[in-house]
Amino acid sequence: GELNWRLPFVFASGQLWTVVADARGDFYHVTNNDILNFPTVPAVTKDFQRGIPYVALDWRWPFISEGTAGRSVIVTPLAQIIAQPYGGNPSGLPIEDATSLEFNDNNIFSFNQLPGYDLVESGPRANVGLKADTIFRGGEIEGLLGQTYRLKPDPVLAGVIGQNGTESDVVGRVTMKFPHLNFTDRMDFDQRSGTVRRHEIYITGSYGRSSMQVAYLQLPTNAGLILPSREQVSAQADINIYRNWQAFVAIQRDLALGQMLDSEYGLGYEDECLAVAIAYRRKFTFDPILGVPPSTSIVLRFTLKTGDQPVQPFSLFPRD
């Protein structure tokens, strides 16, 4: 159960202040599973209760410059101060919805940056940053930088590189949007050395029902606390060949190991009611943990959809 209260203020100078108060209460009834056998969960049935209150202050001050031909520039410094007691993560809880801890531009200005409900941030902290937007006819360019400061390290983040001290890494994003082309560059800078620790680039072009995307991904060893370090590139194209018929191709390649990961080729039909596709897929990698060898498969997909759903690519590879 959770109660949230907000009170916004807009001052004559253009400053935006928002006072936030939040109180959450959780109750867990935990029974360990003999098959899964969570190592941190007691062998006997146990109940957990906790209360998680905080008070926060959100400050933003946008500066706007309007130019000719519909162009405008908006620069906004922003800061958040969160007053919260330490604790709130009792031992013995099965961590099921927060196993992948990823801090980036999407959650740097969240009062609780952790996903799910099982784990929560605790202790006094502050999020500070800068946002800039340039809006013009036919496009928009947006930039964002942010960093978190804590009075002392949060034990929950002890194993997360870049978030395990009193100062987090600096995360940022640059986005450019044009009528037929989108570009996104997401970065994580080491707060000590300034080197790029995490890097993601997405380039998407579209024309009518045809589209193409190229993505580059560089992840550190502990990203998500599950996967090893990765550096890979993926590309896919969906070409409208005749009316509702499309051909598609997608590839993924590991740049660090110099080998192909996946490839897929296929043909599909899509209208406002359904989508049908058949594809040839080749997985080149061997999973030593699950013992899954490289494989070749023929994939048949049949999708029913509502009339307001947008046209989606047929490839099985995820998109940004």
Side-chain angles (χ1 to χ4, degrees):
E2 185 171 9
L3 293 175
N4 184 276
W5 176 82
R6 291 171 175 262
L7 182 62
F9 297 94
V10 180
F11 291 90
S13 61
Q15 298 185 55
L16 310 176
W17 294 77
T18 304
V19 180
V20 180
D22 190 282
R24 189 180 115 194
D26 297 343
F27 172 79
Y28 283 83
H29 176 74
V30 180
T31 300
N32 205 348
N33 188 302
D34 294 335
I35 299 177
L36 297 178
N37 192 25
F38 281 95
T40 61
V41 177
V44 297
T45 300
K46 192 174 182 180
D47 296 334
F48 298 91
Q49 304 87 27
R50 66 178 174 185
I52 310 166
Y54 70 80
V55 177
L57 182 64
D58 183 293
W59 171 81
R60 301 166 190 245
W61 197 359
F63 294 85
I64 303 175
S65 172
E66 295 184 355
T68 59
R71 181 179 59 85
S72 61
V73 178
I74 306 173
V75 178
T76 307
L78 57 160
Q80 298 172 332
I81 299 176
I82 302 100
Q84 183 174 345
Y86 290 102
N89 296 290
S91 61
L93 287 181
I95 310 304
E96 298 177 298
D97 61 4
T99 56
S100 181
L101 309 182
E102 179 181 324
F103 293 87
N104 53 40
D105 55 280
N106 292 322
N107 57 17
I108 187 64
F109 292 107
S110 300
F111 295 132
N112 181 26
Q113 298 173 345
L114 298 178
Y117 290 94
D118 292 338
L119 291 179
V120 294
E121 286 187 276
S122 65
R125 57 194 182 273
N127 306 318
V128 299
L130 182 69
K131 182 180 179 182
D133 295 270
T134 300
I135 304 172
F136 50 89
R137 291 181 180 177
E140 178 183 1
I141 300 176
E142 177 188 291
L144 176 71
L145 282 176
Q147 188 175 18
T148 298
Y149 297 88
R150 298 177 176 87
L151 290 183
K152 65 180 184 179
D154 191 334
V156 172
L157 307 175
V160 183
I161 297 178
Q163 301 289 341
N164 54 4
T166 57
E167 299 180 14
S168 74
D169 282 356
V170 178
V171 297
R173 179 189 70 241
V174 175
T175 303
M176 293 184 287
K177 298 179 181 180
F178 302 100
H180 300 287
L181 181 66
N182 289 341
F183 172 86
T184 301
D185 191 350
R186 305 170 65 189
M187 296 153 287
D188 183 323
F189 299 94
D190 188 309
Q191 55 92 10
R192 293 184 178 87
S193 64
T195 59
V196 178
R197 195 194 302 274
R198 178 189 178 100
H199 201 185
E200 300 176 56
I201 298 176
Y202 301 93
I203 303 174
T204 303
S206 62
Y207 184 79
R209 300 187 62 175
S210 299
S211 64
M212 183 173 182
Q213 182 186 64
V214 178
Y216 169 81
L217 180 65
Q218 175 193 344
L219 297 179
T221 301
N222 78 319
L225 303 181
I226 297 177
L227 298 173
S229 61
R230 288 184 292 165
E231 185 180 9
Q232 66 185 46
V233 63
S234 61
Q236 72 176 46
D238 301 275
I239 307 301
N240 182 227
I241 53 179
Y242 178 72
R243 293 186 177 178
N244 295 332
W245 291 91
Q246 289 182 260
F248 55 92
V249 56
I251 60 170
Q252 285 184 327
R253 183 173 179 83
D254 190 317
L255 299 179
L257 299 178
Q259 66 179 26
M260 291 292 296
L261 299 176
D262 289 271
S263 65
E264 182 180 316
Y265 315 89
L267 181 68
Y269 171 89
E270 182 168 9
D271 58 27
E272 66 275 5
C273 298
L274 61 88
V276 182
I278 186 170
Y280 168 88
R281 188 173 190 182
R282 175 64 178 170
K283 298 188 69 175
F284 297 89
T285 57
F286 173 79
D287 192 327
I289 299 177
L290 301 178
V292 180
S295 62
T296 300
S297 58
I298 302 296
V299 182
L300 175 64
R301 293 207 305 162
F302 181 84
T303 305
L304 296 175
K305 59 181 184 176
T306 60
D308 58 351
Q309 283 182 305
V311 175
Q312 298 292 334
F314 295 105
S315 173
L316 299 182
F317 293 154
R319 297 167 67 97
D320 178 43

